[in-house]
Amino acid sequence: MSDDPKTLVSAAWLAQHLKDPDLRILDGSWYLPSAGRDAKAEYAAAHIPGARFFDIDDISDHRSDLPHMAPPVEKFMSRLRAMGVGDGHQIVVYDGAGLFSAARVWWMFRLMGQENVAVLDGGLPKWQSQGHAVDDMPPVIRDRHMTVRLQNHLVRDVTQVSAASKLQDHVIVDARAALRFRGEAPEPREGMRVGHIPGARNVPYTDLLNKDQTMKTPDACRAIFEAAGVDLNKPIITSCGSGVTATVLTLALERMGHHQWSLYDGSWTEWGMFPTVPVATGEA
């Protein structure tokens, strides 16, 4: 793969830059309850040297009933300052699954106007499989100011997605597994309808990954989107269960050179609970 410090970098690239003074590494691991994994405990036991833990559930909007919605600007700035992450830093985010929740952290930085941020391709498993070191040392933190310029066009709410579904002026692309998209498998959260947003297309995020959880090439990803009936000439809104795996699609789109994207932050957790919006089932 070609390393790009604004989207995706390899374990070899990170190993080469590990001692750079302005590099900041974040462990953005987050797991569904069904995974039975404790992201914080795993970070404490072993992480890439110098990494800070980025808590997706904590650095979120606690005023919302929905899980880990994007945080207010002030909260993001204060949390990142406390982590010693700010202006002038090159940020690399990884997770313990390979390529799963790290993309959510990447998207959050982009939402806040920060562009020098990349996801580690293949995450911690790839890093360790290549023989690179991990440790359990807490990082040395020095305060660093971060300038935030909120990019509102990178996020969508239920009203905007409902309009896009009706007008078909955007393509809504759902990253959930095909059975959930078609309404043939139950949702992991109780009280939620099954199915998908009318007019949406289905690109399960796992389709974009290789067996080692690295991302497929931009050309291979483009072919997958096109095979799913996604019109790449239109702006795209990505969606999933709760706004995490949709960002894997977003990251792939950015690498493909498709920059007209946004994320439906509430995703199916909101749409599936919202009584007045329609639901479709079956194939797209």
Side-chain angles (χ1 to χ4, degrees):
M1 64 165 275
S2 55
D3 293 297
D4 177 4
K6 291 180 186 255
T7 54
L8 199 65
V9 295
S10 63
W13 184 96
L14 182 58
Q16 190 181 338
H17 292 270
L18 201 58
K19 298 284 197 287
D20 289 6
D22 280 330
L23 180 76
R24 291 294 178 271
I25 306 169
L26 301 179
D27 182 330
S29 300
W30 176 90
Y31 304 107
L32 288 163
S34 58
R37 295 179 67 172
D38 183 332
K40 271 189 194 166
E42 289 183 21
Y43 164 80
H47 51 257
I48 295 175
R52 291 106 159 103
F53 185 72
F54 187 104
D55 189 332
I56 286 174
D57 283 328
D58 174 58
I59 306 175
S60 66
D61 187 354
H62 287 179
R63 300 165 303 182
S64 172
D65 293 335
L66 297 166
H68 45 251
M69 295 286 279
V73 166
E74 301 75 21
K75 184 174 188 178
F76 186 85
M77 288 171 68
S78 67
R79 289 289 197 277
L80 270 293
R81 178 193 281 264
M83 291 163 70
V85 179
D87 293 344
H89 284 148
Q90 169 64 51
I91 298 152
V92 175
V93 193
Y94 73 89
D95 63 54
L99 212 167
F100 180 65
S101 56
R104 169 78 189 187
V105 181
W106 171 84
W107 169 79
M108 221 183 289
F109 274 91
R110 294 297 293 264
L111 179 66
M112 299 294 171
Q114 298 285 328
E115 295 204 341
N116 293 327
V117 55
V119 171
L120 178 62
D121 200 17
L124 188 62
K126 189 71 176 174
W127 175 262
Q128 291 184 288
S129 76
Q130 293 189 351
H132 299 301
V134 294
D135 66 32
D136 61 357
M137 295 284 290
V140 178
I141 304 290
R142 294 182 187 86
D143 262 22
R144 183 81 159 244
H145 175 73
M146 176 177 283
T147 307
V148 167
R149 297 171 301 279
L150 192 64
Q151 308 293 304
N152 277 315
H153 63 285
L154 300 184
V155 65
R156 293 285 181 264
D157 63 23
V158 67
T159 307
Q160 293 166 315
V161 176
S162 181
S165 171
K166 286 184 187 122
L167 297 172
Q168 296 289 295
D169 55 351
H170 293 64
V171 187
I172 300 162
V173 188
D174 192 321
R176 292 175 302 154
L179 287 175
R180 284 176 66 190
F181 177 84
R182 295 199 299 261
E184 295 167 11
E187 285 298 309
R189 293 173 179 85
E190 277 190 30
M192 203 169 294
R193 297 175 297 170
V194 297
H196 58 264
I197 299 165
R201 300 288 171 177
N202 187 208
V203 177
Y205 82 95
T206 49
D207 287 1
L208 302 177
L209 304 179
N210 298 304
K211 282 184 180 173
D212 64 356
Q213 300 302 297
T214 56
M215 187 170 274
K216 291 178 179 175
T217 66
D219 284 348
C221 289
R222 185 177 290 106
I224 290 163
F225 277 99
E226 287 173 346
V230 177
D231 182 350
L232 292 171
N233 295 310
K234 286 184 177 180
I236 291 175
I237 299 171
T238 61
S239 179
C240 59
S242 66
V244 174
T245 59
T247 58
V248 177
L249 272 57
T250 308
L251 182 64
L253 289 166
E254 183 69 13
R255 288 185 75 227
M256 287 158 45
H258 189 297
H259 305 302
Q260 283 188 291
W261 51 258
S262 54
L263 171 74
Y264 176 22
D265 201 11
S267 280
W268 195 255
T269 302
E270 180 174 42
W271 193 278
M273 297 285 279
F274 219 85
T276 56
V277 291
V279 166
T281 53
E283 297 288 349

